[in-house]
Amino acid sequence: MMMRATHSIRAIATHLGRAPSTVSREIARHTVDPIKGYDAGLAGYRARLTRHRPRQRPKLHPDGELFE
């Protein structure tokens, strides 16, 4: 909403309490169409798709000596 009101990245970052580089990176990563601009709903969806999953298997065998 602040982007549509033509606030600067620094103003948005200050308002959110984040670093300007973080806001800039988020906008660049999740802006698909430059004409439409940043879409928070789409950004959340894409972030959920690309988030890292925890390991499914432990690195160590549960019955091994190192596991203890």
Side-chain angles (χ1 to χ4, degrees), residues 2-62:
M2 289 182 75
M3 286 187 61
R4 289 197 180 142
T6 65
H7 286 78
S8 69
I9 288 177
R10 287 189 180 279
I12 295 169
T14 302
H15 180 74
L16 296 175
R18 301 284 185 203
S21 60
T22 303
V23 174
S24 175
R25 185 173 48 246
E26 172 74 9
I27 292 169
R29 182 179 293 150
H30 296 295
T31 299
V32 179
D33 185 5
I35 295 172
K36 291 182 182 177
Y38 179 82
D39 181 5
L42 179 61
Y45 173 74
R46 289 175 57 150
R48 283 188 297 278
L49 287 178
T50 59
R51 75 177 173 204
H52 296 285
R53 302 276 183 208
R55 267 187 226 284
Q56 298 301 319
R57 297 183 301 152
K59 283 187 165 185
L60 300 173
H61 193 276

